[in-house]
Structure formats: C-alpha cells, structure tokens
Amino acid sequence: MFSRAFWRDVRFLQWLAQIFFLLALAVAAGFLYANVSANLARQGLTVGYGFLKNPASFDIGEASIPYQPSNSYGRAILVGFTNTLVVSFWGILLTTIVGVLAGVARLSPNWMIRQLAAAYVGVIRNTPLILQLMFWYFGIILQLPNVREAIALPGPVYLSQRGLYLPRPQATEAFQAWVPFLWIALFSIPMLWLVFKALARRLGSPMASGWNLAYLIVPAIILWAGAVLQPEPPLTVSVPQLSGLNFRGGMTLTPEFAALLFGLVVYTGAFIAEVVRAGIQSVSKGQVEASRSLGLSPGKTMRLVIFPQALRLIIPPTTSQYLNLAKNSSLAIAIGYPDLFSVAGTVFNQTGAAVEIILIMMVSYLSMSLFTSLLMNIYNSRIRLVER
Amino acid sequence: MTTLEVAPPHVKVGPLGWLRKNLFSTWYNVLLTLLAAWALVALLRPGINWAFQEARWGAIRANLTLFMVGQYPRDQLWRIWLSIYLLMGLIGISWAIWKKAVRDFGIIILVLSAAFSTITLLMSSNTGMKWILATVILLASYFTGGILRGRPRIAWVAWVLYFPIVLLLIAGSRLIPFLPTVDMGLWGGLLLTLVLTVVGNLGALPLGILLALGRRSNLPAIRLFCIGYIELVRGVPLITILYMAAILLQIFLPPGLRLNLVIRAMVGFILFEAAYQAENVRGGLQSIPRGQFEAAQAVGLNGTLTMILVILPQALRAVIPALLNSFISLFKDTSLVSIIGLFDLLRVGRSVLAQSEWLGTHREVFLFAFIVYWGFNLVFSLGSHRIEEALGVGKR
C-alpha cells in the first residue's frame, strides 16, 4: 500500500493530523461539558426545554401575533421572533429605497444634492448604530408633542410621542365575497404574460413597451368590477381620530417600533448608498457614451444600460447589508422594542436557562440569515454574468 | 453676406459659470437646489440656535473625566497621560522618519492637540497644561526624530511594543511597586472603548489567519470545522456573542475560575472579529496567483514555509484596506458593551443622563458621543488611507 515507510507518506500524515485535530476537539468538548455540568449542578439547574411550556407571566409591549401573559414562554419567544421578522421585512423594503436614492444622489450633477448625500453617508456610516437608535428614540420621537397637540401631516398622519398614527385599509363585510376577484386579478398577470409572449411569437417581433401598462390596467379593472358588484365597498380606509386621550382607528406605530425602523433604515441605507454608488461607477464610461450616441436620453441610459449592469455588482454586498439589518434589529433591546433578543433575555432572567435560550436565539438568527442569503443567491445567479 | 444674429454665449467660467453648471443646469435641478437650500436653512437655523444658546453643555463639562476614563482612580490618571505622551512621541518620530506618508495624519493630530490645549486653557481647566505638554512633545519628537531617519526599524519595534506597554501601564501589576493594579471593572468611557478595540483587533488577526488557512486546507475535518465556525459566527448578531461571552463563558469555565467582565467582553470581540478577519484574509489568499505557490515549490519550500515566507506577506498586504475597515467598524461595535453592563462611552452618557442635575440633556450628551465617535473614525479613516498609500496597495 505504501511505497516506502508509512510515516513518511503524506496521506498517512494527513489522516494522522485530522485524527489529532478531532481528538483535540473531543477533549475540549469533554472539558467544556464537564464544566457545564459541574456549574449547573452547583446552581441546581438542569438542562432541558421543558421550561418553554411554563406560563410566561410577563407582558410584551407590542405583539404581531396574539399574546397574553398567561401564554407559555415558548409563545413569548415566538412573539419576539415575529416582531423581529416584521421589523426586518419593512426595514429591508424601506432601506432599499433610501439606499438607492442616496446612492444615485451621490452621483448627481447637482452639487448641493451631491454634498448632502455625501454628508449623510459620511456621518451615518461613522457613528455606532446603537447611538443613532438612542438618538432617534430619546432625542426625536420622545420629544414629539403629546397626543393632544400631535403634529398632523397630510394623510392624515399624526406624529406624537405616544406613537405614529397612519390610516389603514380595513376590510368590511363585503370583503369575503370580493376575495375571489382578488385571486382572479392576481392570476391574470401571468396569463397576460403568456398571451403577450404568444402574440409576440405570432407577430415575429416583441410587443411595443406600451403594452406593459396592461399588467396594471387589467387587474385594476377586474378589482374595480368586483368592488362595484358588491353591496358596499370591500375596503374602507380607517382613519385615526382623536377621541379622548388617544387616537382610535388607523394603524399605530409605537415609538419603539418607529425609532427602530427609522434608525435601521437610515443606517443601512447609508451603506447601501455606498454599494450602489460603487456599482454604478463600475460601469465603464464607454457604455454611457455609446448609449448617448445612440440617442438615448440620460434617464433611459440609466434605466436600460447602466443600472442592469451595475446590478450585478450591487447584489452581493447588498445581500450582506440586508443580513446586517436583520441582525442589527437585535439592538432593539436598547430602546425597549420586544424583539427576539429582548424577549429571550427576559425569559433568561426569569428562568436562568442560559444554554437553551442562547441556542434558541442563535438558531433563529442563523435561519433568518440563511433564508435571506438563499433568496438573494437565487436572484443573483439569475442575473449573473454567464461566462463561456 | 448676412451675419447671423447670435445671442452672447452663457457664462461658463468663474463663479457664475460654476453656479450655472452645478446648481442650476436644468429646471428640475433649479427646483432641487432651492428645495435643498430651504430644507438646510429650516433645519440648521434652529439647530445652531439651540447649540449655542439653549443647550446645557455643562453636562459634558462637569463629567468630562467620567466620559474619558470612567471610574479610573483619579490619582492614577498620570498613567493615562503618560500613554498619551508616548503616543505623541511615537507619532512625531514616525512623521520624522516617513515624512510624506505620515504628514497629513501628523498635521491633524497636531491641530487637534493644539485645539484641545486652547480649549482647555480657555475653560481654565487643569488639563490645559497637560495638553500643551502633549503638543510640545509631538513637535519636539518630530524635530529630533531626524536622527533616526535611516533606521525605520526602530520605529516599527517601538510601535509594536507600544500596545503591550500601554496595557501594562493602565492595568498595573502587583510586581511593579509604582504601578498598583487598577481593577478592570473601574475602566470606563473612551479608555475602555479604545482598549476593547485594540485588543479585539490585535487578538482577532492571528485567529483569523489560522481560520482562513484552515478553510483552504485539504483536510476535510479542519476545513469543515473552520467553515462551520465562520458561518456560525457571521450569521448571528454581535450582541448574542457578547451575551454568550458575558453569561455562558462563566458556565463553560471550571467552577471557581472567575474572569472579569471586561476580559469576557474582550474574548467575545476576539471570537466575533476573527470570523470576519478570516473572510478578509481568505480574499487576500485567493488573490495570490498560482505561480507563487508553484515557484515556492520549485525552490524547495514545504507547505508551511511557503505560507510563512511567500504567501502570507503578499496576502496580508492585499487585505490591509479591509483590515483597517474592520478596525473602524469594531470601534463602533464596542458601543454594544453598554448592553452587557460595561461602562463604555455610551453607558457613561446614560448614567450622566440619570444624574438629577442634568435631567433632560439627551441631545447634548448624544451629540457629544456622536462627535467623539465620528471624530475618531475620521482620524482612523485618514490614517488608514495614508497607510494604504504608503504601502502602495493596489499599485504594485
């Protein structure tokens, strides 16, 4: 098997090295396990997930799913997880808009817009997120006037120190009968796409781009027709109205949620702005010159030539920024928003089950990260440069 | 022959031309400029008004020592000042040796030091003389550092020795009679932030290099372990790692061994940052062309020697920008230790806010913290740019 002495053969040495490494790992793991058992035995705690069924008996400030203090610890942690998901979802959406706008503004021919965007990026990127969150919460939102004198914006949107109040669509009794029309409208979009593809093949050339409006108009007609056939409109707008000491109706964003959302969006937006700027600048100037010489306006150049090519460079770092946003939402503990980390911390304070709680937290964050990575990698592989 | 009536051309040069081109070129640019100008004035005027008239900066002034060094015993502060003087001396000597590379950085430090001197003298604080001494030391070491011009190695050694010496100075030791130990729990404020940043980065770099090399290893056991560690640590927030370090580390250690919370936070930062440094170093390793490996093999170097003598020097040179970025972001991330109970700059700010005398001074305290973090990061960024330029990263 070995052509010479076995202790000089690379393959043997490699196996030996791996066995030593695994042995060292096993010894370390055993040492840690022994310490953990000794320490837990000294404190009289046991390892196990049974505590998750016990009643939580603490209240959670805001919950995306129904929750009572009599629910179990497991339910409380689930509430925290959904809160994190809600903040991450809206955060990712808004920060993309803010980041792309700021990134494009950094390259604007207008000097003032350019300097403002540079100042925004320079200040936000160089200060810690937790400081910005505290500034948003203590320095801005809690300094808003109280409910009676809330700032009113067109909408109507009311800003006060008890929260932000926005109008909200509300389902009426006719909503149930209207839902089939919603499904038909949704279904019509891919049907339209197939129809246009078949027509294009029949005609031998692609359809004019004006036909793309049909994707908006046809579902809108279906929805409107369905709404007209109902006895009453299926959706009304619930408007916040001051009654007594508080606002009724509409959608309420608590100060904690608002501060966390704005802080995360502004912070991550600055990083995404830099990524977008680098991506746009990476497209060679020859592309711009060629498209202008073909007669495309600056707007069309940006939309049809530069941005699709820049997108290839922008997607991977933007993915990691989205992941950073989801992970940074754990800083909600500093301003009192009950996200996963905050609720799990409370559960730990009450039960003392350190190892289990930390495992739950890490598994949750890991699964969020892996899921977001997966989605963005699928999108990335579809727009990636295909090399021969 | 008729002459065409041509309107005089628009002004293209001078300030008017600049205005026309950059601010008012098209109709929507005119609109944007006016909107932005209006927004700026609307936001800045009350802001500046507030800063100079209504703000109670006394909250900062009264607690400045607290902000800077936390609860460090006030009679041992001379050790902190000694560290600052040593730093000034080092910067001056580096400026004298590597003139152009360090010039901008040196000028900024000089200006800052002079500014602090004047401000503290004007406020008739007793640190005025100390800042003047710092400025003098900077200038003196710059002018006398010329004797070392031909021997940069001495400066390198001095820089490398600086951090352990300063740590020893600040922490003290039972073995040295004139440096009594200062309990780490008393460290706080900017001092704690800087110590955590430096220790976190310096400790994470070797571990990160090992992880990066392990990730490229041919041995599946080592490779899987390194990949698993890196992806696990990169997938969770820093605050969970710190929480783990603060709480779980106590359980993982033998009963009876108690580590100070500051050391536990340092371990947390090192473990967290090592995963990110590993990815940076991996990028650098991937950029080395195969020819280098083959040439080293042809010369007769085995794997380990190839790594140490040929590959790592080139790879580390290529990742210096990323490493300096990690340094800057770790400096910001140290603010998270306020959540696990350490008194860094932010936590000191919150405790100042809780003092009955300074209730409601949120904006002043947070603005101060903003300025400190932003200023330090600006100086660090400039330093890193200069280091990159001096090393010729990306050019050779």
Side-chain angles (χ1 to χ4, degrees):
Chain A
M1 187 169 53
F2 299 106
S3 58
R4 67 175 94 132
F6 69 90
W7 60 86
R8 291 179 67 107
D9 194 326
V10 164
R11 291 172 298 172
F12 171 74
L13 288 176
Q14 284 181 341
W15 272 108
L16 199 63
Q18 289 184 72
I19 292 181
F20 269 139
F21 181 71
L22 289 174
L23 266 181
L25 269 187
V27 164
F31 175 68
L32 291 179
Y33 183 72
N35 285 336
V36 170
S37 313
N39 279 319
L40 287 182
R42 256 179 11 140
Q43 294 176 357
L45 300 167
T46 53
V47 176
Y49 285 92
F51 71 91
L52 285 177
K53 297 200 203 68
N54 298 342
S57 54
F58 63 88
D59 200 9
I60 297 184
E62 53 183 297
S64 315
I65 56 179
Y67 172 78
Q68 298 292 329
S70 55
N71 290 136
S72 61
Y73 282 125
R75 177 105 184 153
I77 295 183
L78 193 63
V79 168
F81 188 59
T82 48
N83 281 346
T84 300
L85 287 180
V86 164
V87 155
S88 303
F89 175 73
W90 286 111
I92 289 181
L93 234 87
L94 291 176
T95 197
T96 312
I97 300 176
V98 168
V100 168
L101 279 179
V104 172
R106 277 271 262 151
L107 300 169
S108 162
N110 187 324
W111 178 86
M112 183 158 287
I113 302 287
R114 209 164 53 225
Q115 299 304 329
L116 280 178
Y120 158 65
V121 169
V123 169
I124 299 290
R125 264 166 48 115
N126 281 324
T127 43
L129 173 61
I130 192 169
L131 183 56
Q132 295 178 29
L133 284 179
M134 287 193 197
F135 196 74
W136 275 101
Y137 186 61
F138 293 109
I140 297 186
I141 300 225
L142 287 188
Q143 308 287 335
L144 288 172
N146 68 17
V147 176
R148 296 276 179 89
E149 298 140 22
I151 304 176
L153 297 175
V157 173
Y158 293 102
L159 311 172
S160 83
Q161 65 177 195
R162 292 263 293 273
L164 275 60
Y165 303 93
L166 309 163
R168 183 170 77 112
Q170 194 169 6
T172 59
E173 282 159 13
F175 187 71
Q176 284 291 78
W178 185 68
V179 165
F181 287 94
L182 199 61
W183 285 112
I184 298 179
L186 270 178
F187 193 58
S188 70
I189 296 180
M191 297 303 299
L192 270 176
W193 182 73
L194 286 173
V195 163
F196 283 150
K197 229 167 75 138
L199 266 181
R201 199 171 332 133
R202 187 71 90 67
L203 291 173
S205 70
M207 315 269 296
S209 63
W211 283 101
N212 284 334
L213 274 177
Y215 288 115
L216 272 180
I217 297 184
V218 169
I221 294 183
I222 298 178
L223 289 175
W224 175 81
V228 156
L229 287 176
Q230 307 298 332
E232 53 166 354
L235 284 179
T236 52
V237 176
S238 167
V239 160
Q241 276 172 342
L242 184 58
S243 82
L245 284 175
N246 210 340
F247 278 89
R248 296 287 153 96
M251 184 163 59
T252 311
L253 301 180
T254 58
E256 293 81 20
F257 180 79
L260 185 65
L261 190 64
F262 292 153
L264 281 175
V265 163
V266 164
Y267 183 75
T268 318
F271 286 87
I272 294 188
E274 280 298 282
V275 170
V276 167
R277 179 187 66 88
I280 293 182
Q281 279 183 326
S282 73
V283 178
S284 56
K285 283 195 71 74
Q287 299 280 317
V288 177
E289 293 166 359
S291 79
R292 294 305 307 273
S293 67
L294 279 177
L296 293 175
S297 68
K300 283 217 177 103
T301 311
M302 178 61 96
R303 198 164 46 94
L304 297 172
V305 176
I306 300 186
F307 217 61
Q309 298 185 61
L311 214 56
R312 289 199 188 102
L313 224 79
I314 291 180
I315 297 284
T318 310
T319 315
S320 63
Q321 290 307 325
Y322 289 162
L323 291 177
N324 282 344
L325 186 136
K327 290 188 286 175
N328 285 336
S329 67
S330 57
L331 289 180
I333 192 173
I335 58 175
Y337 178 72
D339 80 313
L340 174 64
F341 184 75
S342 170
V343 170
T346 314
V347 173
F348 163 70
N349 282 337
Q350 291 198 351
T351 61
V355 181
E356 300 87 335
I357 298 264
I358 293 200
L359 266 178
I360 293 178
M361 271 200 281
M362 292 181 61
V363 164
S364 316
Y365 279 113
L366 265 180
S367 57
M368 267 201 300
S369 301
L370 289 176
F371 183 65
T372 316
S373 284
L374 199 70
L375 282 182
M376 296 306 284
N377 275 338
I378 293 179
Y379 184 55
N380 193 24
S381 58
R382 293 198 48 202
I383 64 166
R384 202 181 43 186
L385 273 175
V386 179
E387 296 188 356
R388 282 175 275 142
Chain B
M1 201 157 84
T2 50
T3 51
L4 288 168
E5 286 288 336
V6 180
H10 289 149
V11 175
K12 284 212 166 81
V13 297
L16 222 56
W18 182 90
L19 276 178
R20 205 185 180 87
K21 175 166 165 267
N22 285 316
L23 289 178
F24 300 110
S25 51
T26 63
W27 64 268
Y28 59 82
N29 266 339
V30 172
L31 221 66
L32 273 178
T33 307
L34 291 176
L35 205 68
W38 173 83
L40 260 181
V41 168
L43 285 175
L44 278 185
R45 176 117 58 98
I48 296 185
N49 217 11
W50 169 85
F52 280 105
Q53 293 184 342
E54 290 173 12
R56 290 150 60 196
W57 295 110
I60 314 291
R61 195 186 313 175
N63 294 300
L64 197 58
T65 319
L66 204 63
F67 273 114
M68 291 293 130
V69 294
Q71 309 265 22
Y72 204 83
R74 300 295 185 247
D75 56 337
Q76 300 290 325
L77 279 182
W78 61 269
R79 290 145 77 165
I80 314 277
W81 283 110
L82 190 57
S83 319
I84 296 183
Y85 296 150
L86 282 175
L87 185 66
M88 290 294 179
L90 265 180
I91 293 181
I93 293 181
S94 310
W95 191 354
I97 295 184
W98 295 293
K99 285 192 156 294
K100 209 161 68 82
V102 189
R103 189 188 54 205
D104 296 348
F105 188 71
I107 289 183
I108 292 208
I109 300 290
L110 184 62
V111 164
L112 278 177
S113 181
F116 287 150
S117 316
T118 43
I119 293 180
T120 45
L121 274 181
L122 284 178
M123 289 196 327
S124 54
S125 153
N126 53 9
T127 49
M129 296 309 297
K130 303 204 176 95
W131 278 114
I132 291 189
L133 184 56
T135 319
V136 163
I137 289 185
L138 177 60
L139 286 170
S141 57
Y142 170 58
F143 285 119
T144 58
I147 50 175
L148 288 174
R149 192 160 302 160
R151 283 173 285 182
R153 206 163 285 207
I154 297 187
W156 281 117
V157 169
W159 271 111
V160 166
L161 283 180
Y162 175 73
F163 296 107
I165 289 184
V166 160
L167 268 179
L168 186 63
L169 252 186
I170 298 181
S173 164
R174 280 171 307 190
L175 304 171
I176 307 181
F178 55 86
L179 286 183
T181 48
V182 176
D183 180 40
M184 277 175 146
L186 295 176
W187 300 6
L190 192 58
L191 171 71
L192 185 64
T193 303
L194 286 173
V195 166
L196 282 175
T197 311
V198 169
V199 170
N201 270 300
L202 291 182
L205 190 55
L207 191 55
I209 295 178
L210 283 177
L211 281 172
L213 291 175
R215 190 167 173 160
R216 287 167 49 102
S217 156
N218 292 328
L219 312 178
I222 300 183
R223 191 172 62 236
L224 283 177
F225 174 75
C226 290
I227 293 183
Y229 176 85
I230 292 177
E231 294 305 321
L232 183 80
V233 170
R234 274 163 55 101
V236 294
L238 173 58
I239 190 74
T240 47
I241 306 268
L242 283 179
Y243 223 58
M244 259 179 56
I247 299 174
L248 275 191
L249 207 60
Q250 214 43 63
I251 301 187
F252 279 138
L253 290 175
L257 178 63
R258 307 217 102 241
L259 278 184
N260 196 300
L261 185 58
V262 174
I263 298 190
R264 278 182 268 157
M266 283 181 190
V267 169
F269 276 119
I270 289 179
L271 289 178
F272 179 77
E273 195 64 19
Y276 286 81
Q277 306 277 35
E279 286 296 279
N280 291 336
V281 174
R282 182 169 82 112
L285 286 172
Q286 276 177 341
S287 70
I288 308 288
R290 279 195 62 86
Q292 299 284 321
F293 291 92
E294 293 167 358
Q297 218 178 14
V299 169
L301 297 172
N302 67 12
T304 318
L305 279 179
T306 312
M307 268 304 158
I308 300 178
L309 294 175
V310 178
I311 307 295
L312 273 185
Q314 299 181 60
L316 289 180
R317 185 109 156 284
V319 304
I320 284 182
L323 289 181
L324 294 170
N325 270 342
S326 294
F327 184 85
I328 293 176
S329 69
L330 187 63
F331 179 71
K332 291 186 302 172
D333 287 337
T334 50
S335 52
L336 261 62
V337 297
S338 54
I339 297 185
I340 54 173
L342 285 176
F343 270 89
D344 78 313
L345 191 66
L346 211 55
R347 187 76 183 260
V348 168
R350 288 175 82 164
S351 67
V352 163
L353 284 175
Q355 291 172 1
S356 56
E357 210 184 329
W358 306 112
L359 275 181
T361 53
H362 294 101
R363 294 181 182 172
E364 291 85 337
V365 169
F366 288 144
L367 262 179
F368 174 69
F370 246 103
I371 293 177
V372 169
Y373 275 112
W374 186 67
F376 267 90
N377 269 332
L378 218 59
V379 169
F380 288 154
S381 300
L382 192 73
S384 80
H385 277 165
R386 290 293 164 253
I387 294 182
E388 285 172 33
E389 272 178 35
L391 289 175
V393 175
K395 290 202 188 111
R396 33 187 174 111

